[in-house]
Amino acid sequence: MIHRTQTSTRSLIYILLSVILSAFTPSSLGAADSLDEMFINPPQIAKPQVWWHWMYGNVTKEGITKDLEQMQDIGIGGVTQFHNAWTEGGKGTRATPRGPVRFMSPEYRELVSYALKECERLDMTMGLQICDGFSQTGGPWITPNTGMRELRCKKLPVKGGKTLSYTVPDNTVLILAYPGTIETPQGEEAVNSPMIKPRNPYLKKNEGEAGTAIESNKFINLMAQLQADGTLTWDTPKGDWVVLVFHHVLNPAVNHPASPEGRGLECSKLNSDAVDLVYDKVVGPLIEDAGDLAGKTLKHVLIDSWECKYQSWSKEFAEEFKKRRGYDPAPYLPALAKIPVNSVEESNRFLCDFRMTLDDLLAEEYYGHVRDRLHEKGMQLHAEVLYGWDQMFGNSIRQYGICDVPMNEIWMRRNILRERAFTGYAATAGHVYGKSIIKDESFTVGGAMGDFSYVPEDLKSTADFLLCRGTTKFVLHTSTHQPYDEKPGWTHGWNGVNFHRGNTWWPYADGFVNYLGRTSYMLQQGLFVADVCRYVGHEDTFSKMFGEMSLENLPEGYRADHCDNTVLLERMDVKDGRIVLPDGMSYAVLLLADKKTMSPEVLQRLTRLVEKGATVIGPKPETAPGLTDYPQCDETVRKLADRLWGPCDGKTITESRFGKGRVVWGKPLPELLKEMKLQADFSYTTKSNKRINFIHRTLPDAEIYFIATAGKGCMVDCSFRVTGKQPELFDPLTGEVSDIAVYDDQDGRIRIPIQLEAQGSKIIVFRKNAKDSVVEIKHDGVIVFAPDKRLSKDFASLPATFKLTSDGSIAVIQQSDCGALEWKTAAGRKGKLPQARLPKSLTLSGPWNVRFEEGRGAPAEITLDKLASWSEHTDSGVRYFSGEGTYRKAFTLQNDFLKNTRISLDLGDVKGLAEVLVNGESAGTLWRSPFVIDITMLVQAGKNDLSIKVVNTWVNRLIGDKNVPKDERIGQIVPTDPTWYKATSPLHPSGLLGPIYIRASQEYILPQKLRNQ
């Protein structure tokens, strides 16, 4: 297969010549040219990967090779291999049919080894999901004793003066009684108490019976009255009593969707021995099979999203709690059953310690343990710590920080860029823990939307949002293994965009894949730029869906990170008044969570940071968060806080100096940033008030900004917090790099008018010394761009664009007759575009010859008098066609037309993807609007042959197949006969809709004698 590229032939030649010529300049040895080269052809580390799902034992070597070869051909850098089995249907699909290969059988292991060797041959990397299915870490080797456990509590009302005989549940850990009464349903001896869960980890103010707390000395420990046979025998004192029986039960979650050979209970996440039972049965043997390829081609093990509910107990938990917190948790266990002990405030302190202990064990026994085992083999741990349903007790920032590559997950949301992009949990953990690779499980879809309806253009705004949120590497969900050659072939059931060789457009997806690789490479460079770091304290242990960390009081144009205790205590320092981390990250302000608690050790470290020059904003802490060393810990906090905050009370006095730094309390964050004269990192205005999201990376000698929008295109008046540097445009769609000519550098900021197309995005780089720039433009005597003037609404409609040549000359590309155009540069040079008429655009109208891919139900070819959607054709084979249709037409160009600098082909509206060939040579593949491509180097005087290959989705054929008997259907899909579509479902517009034009543009370079005036 010929590897297509979205970069036009002419552009590619230009880029290659630029690289060759740069070899003769001293700068070619510097980082600048390396940045250019890696941007044009992204390296392995930046290329997107896929999740490669092997479905229920349906695996073949032939299919493995074909899958991987096509992935490599379009620019995929690696795979993470799963074995999944939807043993039950649902959400529009049927169960996965069982294949001949059994999970972890000798044949299965041989196929994994074969896939790994094929990856090595193709210079791709491979990873393994830790168990069968995609969530999370379990299997048939896990018993109830080594599974996830949850603490429960039974509440038993007892009348005093009698002997109580009650059989307690298995695994009872504590029995307490206190004076009181409770209601039970008629006929019920006891009731199950509601328990504290991750979603609501604290007691509310009026929690408990009648809103009252039980004093700890009122509880009686009845464990001595528990008989060997599990019977509680107690001679109850007079009065009414409530007996609490604390016991742990099995969390029945199993790893899913898994085969019978690999499905079983989820392992305990608080005991590394239990974790090893899964590791040693799955990835351990596969890593051993890999031999020397482990750590070389086999790079990582993945722990996918946490979808197994929560774990709140283990047999070792009480002892681990004592060891870490310094006191026995038993007297406070009622708080877990939402019964306050002594007070709600004291109980919440225990609950903080409880969650911190779970967090410690999760970090050490689960994520940290698996990571350490992989490091012994030279491999990495990649993990999706969050899923978003508040299922996990634990600080996700810390857990992400333990992983080598933190990974987020996001499901498809169209026009997502209309939302403001805040830094995600995985990204912020990567930033504060020094990790440049932030992965994202990208374009997951649900609700039966894995229906082949998406094309790459539909995915771009989600991709851009992820980039702005901090993603630096895409993992496409999903690429289902195709064991055979039927099409559309095997699917992942109801979810996942189909990134596999059975999909019509996958062979044409290289432009989209290259876009993801180029943007990822650029945003892997240097360090994330954030002005604020928010300390989340002991409080924020869960997040919104998919780990979105909003910070609503952060002004527009600024970005923030978030840090946990470990980062503040072990990684933070101060240099030149900024908070710094060992990897180079720095922040102007440390923002404290809006809480009145802080541990003594954190407060001591905070005092040291302020003393060295840090600026901290937040309320004065009053107490410690937990019960360790209580109540002395509170006195320690008060003394330390009084010393640091001094007279600052957050009302009459909002700032206090301490050492070289200061603490601020009661002053809004925007006001503080303004007082610090810290301008917004990025600001903008648009005529339509559209949302423009951004992210900024900094290098020692360069600044990199990525900006993006959703919906319709717009002209954006952008302002960057950079000065004295030449802005360059790195176009991620084409790989072209060019100096920006029109910009203004004033007051420490560079202002650039930037045209963003629909769902548009640009990369702006500042690394070279500033050249002369165009600072004023007049069109027909009216100023449309000038310093200190609002960008004219007419600027967007200018029929010309400006660029800088390699020697600093001003070049103007005239795109149509443009009247009087004048400009002035920062150095005082003036220019005027000579009056010249461009040839009129050539309209390509019918008739069109269209040839259709064989075997898809359409006639071999048809003639269209005018362009129209295939779905509107009278022939049912065309109307229901899915696949590749090739439009052919000849056109003639006169010599005068070819005298112009550039010639472009505008396809108008395309429903699908389009590859353009002129005179037999490919100009490139277009996957998003505007569907315009440069054909300058391919056309000739006289006759030219044009071919446009358009590929649509499978949707129309799948609808057409619903209108015929099953044995006559063309689309062969597994699992069979999904209910995504009906015979009467609306058809999707498909094909080339136009109108189609060939346009000329002329480049004019300001003559030397004018440039020197």
Side-chain angles (χ1 to χ4, degrees):
M1 178 187 295
I2 298 175
H3 180 64
R4 303 169 181 87
T5 175
Q6 188 189 19
T7 307
S8 68
T9 304
R10 180 184 184 278
S11 298
L12 184 59
I13 293 172
Y14 170 79
I15 292 168
L16 293 173
L17 285 173
S18 299
V19 172
I20 293 169
L21 290 173
S22 70
F24 297 97
T25 66
S27 64
S28 65
L29 298 178
D33 296 291
S34 175
L35 191 70
D36 291 12
E37 293 164 11
M38 296 297 101
F39 174 70
I40 296 167
N41 296 300
Q44 176 71 254
I45 192 67
K47 291 180 178 180
Q49 298 178 338
V50 299
W51 278 2
W52 193 26
H53 289 107
W54 296 8
M55 301 305 295
Y56 209 176
N58 293 279
V59 191
T60 66
K61 288 185 177 181
E62 295 78 12
I64 286 171
T65 295
K66 290 179 179 180
D67 284 359
L68 292 173
E69 285 182 344
Q70 187 162 88
M71 291 179 199
Q72 193 265 357
D73 186 59
I74 64 171
I76 296 297
V79 301
T80 299
Q81 182 265 339
F82 291 71
H83 181 266
N84 286 354
W86 296 106
T87 54
E88 297 179 2
K91 298 186 180 180
T93 57
R94 300 178 186 276
T96 309
R98 181 156 196 162
V101 180
R102 300 294 180 260
F103 180 70
M104 290 307 294
S105 65
E107 185 181 5
Y108 179 90
R109 291 173 64 171
E110 181 186 353
L111 287 165
V112 173
S113 295
Y114 176 80
L116 181 60
K117 292 172 184 175
E118 285 293 87
C119 283
E120 180 194 27
R121 176 178 68 85
L122 296 168
D123 193 26
M124 298 172 68
T125 64
M126 185 167 164
L128 302 169
Q129 162 65 1
I130 196 168
C131 67
D132 200 355
F134 57 65
S135 181
Q136 194 199 32
T137 307
W141 319 280
I142 301 302
T143 67
N145 285 333
T146 55
M148 297 174 69
R149 311 296 298 185
E150 297 177 24
L151 190 68
R152 298 285 178 87
C153 176
K154 285 190 174 295
K155 299 165 71 172
L156 177 70
V158 178
K159 288 288 185 180
K162 302 177 181 179
T163 299
L164 171 68
S165 180
Y166 176 71
T167 301
V168 303
D170 292 340
N171 299 305
T172 291
V173 297
L174 180 66
I175 306 172
L176 298 175
Y178 67 90
T181 61
I182 59 169
E183 297 290 334
T184 60
Q186 187 174 4
E188 296 289 338
E189 185 179 13
V191 295
N192 293 318
S193 175
M195 304 296 290
I196 288 291
K197 296 180 180 181
R199 181 183 292 272
N200 297 298
Y202 284 121
L203 294 176
K204 298 177 182 178
K205 187 175 182 179
N206 294 319
E207 200 91 52
E209 285 84 2
T212 59
I214 310 299
E215 294 180 9
S216 57
N217 59 11
K218 297 290 181 67
F219 289 100
I220 301 175
N221 191 324
L222 300 181
M223 289 300 289
Q225 281 70 46
L226 182 62
Q227 308 304 310
D229 64 356
T231 301
L232 172 64
T233 304
W234 181 39
D235 294 328
T236 59
K238 292 182 179 180
D240 292 324
W241 294 85
V242 177
V243 174
L244 305 177
V245 182
F246 292 92
H247 59 288
H248 57 91
V249 300
L250 177 69
N251 176 341
V254 297
N255 56 308
H256 67 277
S259 66
E261 292 76 25
R263 183 172 59 243
L265 292 170
E266 283 283 344
C267 74
S268 171
K269 310 301 187 289
L270 309 181
N271 185 307
S272 59
D273 290 340
V275 177
D276 283 340
L277 291 173
V278 178
Y279 186 102
D280 290 338
K281 290 293 186 179
V282 184
V283 295
L286 296 176
I287 292 170
E288 292 303 317
D289 291 347
D292 292 341
L293 294 184
K296 178 185 175 185
T297 302
L298 186 61
K299 291 287 191 180
H300 69 271
V301 164
L302 170 72
I303 298 179
D304 198 357
S305 51
W306 185 294
E307 301 178 36
C308 48
K309 299 185 179 179
Y310 62 89
Q311 180 170 359
S312 60
W313 200 258
S314 68
K315 291 185 177 181
E316 307 82 15
F317 181 81
E319 287 304 315
E320 291 289 345
F321 185 99
K322 290 178 187 177
K323 181 172 66 176
R324 297 163 190 273
R325 307 278 86 86
Y327 67 95
D328 188 348
Y332 290 96
L333 289 191
L336 292 169
K338 297 191 175 184
I339 301 171
V341 178
N342 293 331
S343 68
V344 168
E345 187 269 341
E346 187 171 330
S347 296
N348 282 337
R349 287 171 176 264
F350 162 74
L351 292 175
C352 180
D353 288 340
F354 171 76
R355 289 180 5 262
M356 289 174 63
T357 303
L358 289 171
D359 185 52
D360 287 346
L361 294 172
L362 192 63
E364 297 168 16
E365 300 293 310
Y366 186 42
Y367 290 112
H369 177 70
V370 175
R371 177 203 60 195
D372 292 345
R373 290 200 64 178
L374 291 171
H375 284 187
E376 294 174 359
K377 299 294 184 179
M379 295 174 62
Q380 292 184 328
L381 172 63
H382 299 191
E384 287 185 10
V385 170
L386 287 176
Y387 186 60
W389 289 336
D390 305 338
Q391 298 194 45
M392 182 183 75
F393 285 109
N395 188 313
S396 55
I397 296 178
R398 179 187 182 188
Q399 306 304 330
Y400 269 132
I402 287 168
C403 307
D404 296 298
V405 174
M407 188 170 183
N408 203 66
E409 171 181 355
I410 195 164
W411 287 40
M412 272 295 298
R413 303 210 296 269
R414 296 181 190 270
N415 290 327
I416 193 172
L417 274 167
R418 291 173 181 170
E419 305 172 19
R420 182 179 178 185
F422 291 96
T423 311
Y425 257 111
T428 201
H431 299 157
V432 298
Y433 278 97
K435 305 171 192 299
S436 64
I437 305 301
I438 315 296
K439 281 187 169 183
D440 213 300
E441 174 196 327
S442 310
F443 318 121
T444 305
V445 296
M449 289 302 292
D451 57 4
F452 291 93
S453 64
Y454 285 94
V455 293
E457 184 173 21
D458 299 326
L459 312 178
K460 185 177 183 296
S461 62
T462 297
D464 291 343
F465 182 81
L466 295 179
L467 291 164
C468 290
R469 204 173 72 161
T471 296
T472 64
K473 192 177 182 74
F474 289 89
V475 181
L476 308 183
H477 185 289
T478 181
S479 186
T480 311
H481 170 58
Q482 303 299 306
Y484 312 108
D485 291 336
E486 67 263 66
K487 294 182 179 180
W490 290 72
T491 73
H492 194 245
W494 58 272
N495 68 348
V497 174
N498 293 281
F499 298 103
H500 59 72
R501 62 189 177 92
N503 203 344
T504 53
W505 52 259
W506 184 233
Y508 295 87
D510 58 311
F512 173 64
V513 170
N514 287 338
Y515 174 82
L516 299 179
R518 289 180 182 129
T519 51
S520 296
Y521 172 73
M522 295 299 284
L523 296 181
Q524 287 174 7
Q525 305 310 301
L527 299 166
F528 174 62
V529 174
D531 295 304
V532 177
C533 187
R534 175 177 175 263
Y535 167 63
V536 301
H538 300 79
E539 317 304 332
D540 291 344
T541 56
F542 57 88
S543 76
K544 297 179 182 178
M545 190 69 167
F546 306 128
E548 295 165 351
M549 296 192 72
S550 60
L551 189 57
E552 300 302 334
N553 61 339
L554 184 70
E556 289 277 359
Y558 298 83
R559 295 299 299 267
D561 268 333
H562 307 258
C563 73
D564 66 336
N565 284 344
T566 302
V567 172
L568 192 146
L569 289 171
E570 300 177 11
R571 292 177 58 81
M572 274 192 175
D573 206 343
V574 178
K575 182 178 181 181
D576 299 328
R578 290 184 66 88
I579 297 151
V580 297
L581 300 177
D583 314 284
M585 282 295 302
S586 73
Y587 310 92
V589 175
L590 179 63
L591 174 66
L592 304 180
D594 189 19
K595 302 288 182 180
K596 294 296 184 71
T597 62
M598 185 175 291
S599 69
E601 60 268 26
V602 168
L603 188 48
Q604 288 170 348
R605 183 59 186 161
L606 193 67
T607 300
R608 181 60 181 146
L609 293 174
V610 175
E611 190 175 38
K612 295 178 73 172
T615 295
V616 175
I617 180 172
K620 179 181 178 180
E622 298 174 356
T623 64
L627 289 174
T628 300
D629 197 28
Y630 177 76
Q632 181 59 42
C633 57
D634 284 359
E635 182 62 25
T636 301
V637 167
R638 282 191 288 269
K639 288 181 179 179
L640 289 169
D642 286 344
R643 179 169 178 254
L644 181 56
W645 266 258
C648 181
D649 60 6
K651 296 177 181 178
T652 59
I653 301 175
T654 58
E655 182 176 321
S656 179
R657 294 280 174 177
F658 186 86
K660 297 179 181 179
R662 58 175 172 163
V663 290
V664 180
W665 178 23
K667 186 178 296 184
L669 179 60
E671 183 180 333
L672 174 62
L673 295 173
K674 185 176 181 180
E675 282 184 5
M676 297 174 72
K677 298 182 179 180
L678 187 63
Q679 301 181 50
D681 190 14
F682 171 73
S683 61
Y684 66 92
T685 58
T686 66
K687 179 182 176 182
S688 55
N689 295 319
K690 289 178 66 68
R691 162 74 62 191
I692 308 297
N693 275 307
F694 84 102
I695 191 167
H696 176 192
R697 306 283 296 192
T698 185
L699 292 80
D701 56 356
E703 307 296 328
I704 299 173
Y705 286 82
F706 175 82
I707 64 172
T709 190
K712 296 180 180 179
C714 61
M715 175 60 69
V716 189
D717 196 355
C718 301
S719 178
F720 302 87
R721 195 171 64 194
V722 181
T723 188
K725 293 292 185 180
Q726 170 64 46
E728 298 172 86
L729 173 62
F730 280 59
D731 189 339
L733 289 172
T734 66
E736 293 183 86
V737 179
S738 59
D739 287 339
I740 292 174
V742 181
Y743 69 93
D744 180 37
D745 190 341
Q746 286 192 90
D747 302 323
R749 303 187 70 84
I750 292 180
R751 174 194 179 201
I752 310 171
I754 297 175
Q755 177 69 49
L756 290 178
E757 63 277 5
Q759 296 189 81
S761 58
K762 302 292 182 187
I763 296 174
I764 311 299
V765 177
F766 303 87
R767 56 176 174 165
K768 301 185 293 190
N769 292 332
K771 300 177 182 179
D772 198 8
S773 64
V774 174
V775 296
E776 182 178 293
I777 300 173
K778 287 184 181 180
H779 185 221
D780 290 334
V782 178
I783 295 176
V784 295
F785 176 76
D788 302 320
K789 288 185 179 294
R790 187 178 180 86
L791 188 67
S792 169
K793 63 180 181 179
D794 296 324
F795 186 88
S797 59
L798 278 180
T801 58
F802 292 77
K803 74 172 187 178
L804 290 178
T805 64
S806 58
D807 67 351
S809 300
I810 305 295
V812 183
I813 297 91
Q814 181 183 352
Q815 295 157 336
S816 63
D817 297 338
C818 71
L821 186 66
E822 302 172 80
W823 62 90
K824 184 170 66 175
T825 73
R829 299 185 292 170
K830 296 181 180 180
K832 182 176 181 180
L833 187 68
Q835 294 293 318
R837 298 190 65 85
L838 293 175
K840 291 182 179 181
S841 299
L842 177 63
T843 302
L844 298 186
S845 55
W848 291 85
N849 174 267
V850 185
R851 296 182 181 177
F852 291 105
E853 183 177 349
E854 293 182 4
R856 298 293 174 87
E861 63 180 83
I862 61 173
T863 299
L864 294 176
D865 292 330
K866 62 178 182 179
L867 295 175
S869 173
W870 298 336
S871 61
E872 299 172 357
H873 202 272
T874 56
D875 187 306
S876 62
V878 176
R879 192 163 59 251
Y880 294 126
F881 176 77
S882 292
E884 179 187 292
T886 302
Y887 294 75
R888 297 178 183 272
K889 188 174 185 61
F891 63 90
T892 301
L893 291 181
Q894 304 298 325
N895 283 322
D896 288 345
F897 203 96
L898 295 176
K899 291 179 180 178
N900 298 283
T901 304
R902 291 181 179 174
I903 299 172
S904 61
L905 176 68
D906 184 345
L907 300 183
D909 192 8
V910 178
K911 297 303 182 184
L913 290 77
E915 183 186 12
V916 174
L917 296 95
V918 179
N919 296 322
E921 293 190 45
S922 177
T925 301
L926 298 169
W927 58 275
R928 62 175 303 282
S929 61
F931 290 91
V932 179
I933 198 162
D934 192 301
I935 58 172
T936 308
M937 303 297 291
L938 303 180
V939 293
Q940 61 192 13
K943 181 184 175 183
N944 293 268
D945 292 318
L946 174 65
S947 295
I948 305 168
K949 295 180 180 180
V950 178
V951 60
N952 66 340
T953 69
W954 270 108
V955 172
N956 291 348
R957 185 64 264 164
L958 295 177
I959 294 171
D961 282 352
K962 292 290 185 178
N963 288 275
V964 299
K966 290 184 179 180
D967 59 356
E968 296 179 18
R969 292 178 179 177
I970 293 170
Q972 302 298 312
I973 191 167
V974 188
T976 60
D977 199 27
T979 58
W980 300 325
Y981 304 107
K982 301 177 182 178
T984 56
S985 294
L987 297 176
H988 286 202
S990 298
L992 183 60
L993 306 187
I996 300 180
Y997 301 101
I998 296 177
R999 293 192 172 98
S1001 60
Q1002 178 67 51
E1003 183 174 278
Y1004 170 74
I1005 299 178
L1006 188 62
Q1008 184 70 30
K1009 63 180 180 179
L1010 292 179
R1011 285 188 279 129
N1012 292 330
Q1013 288 181 358

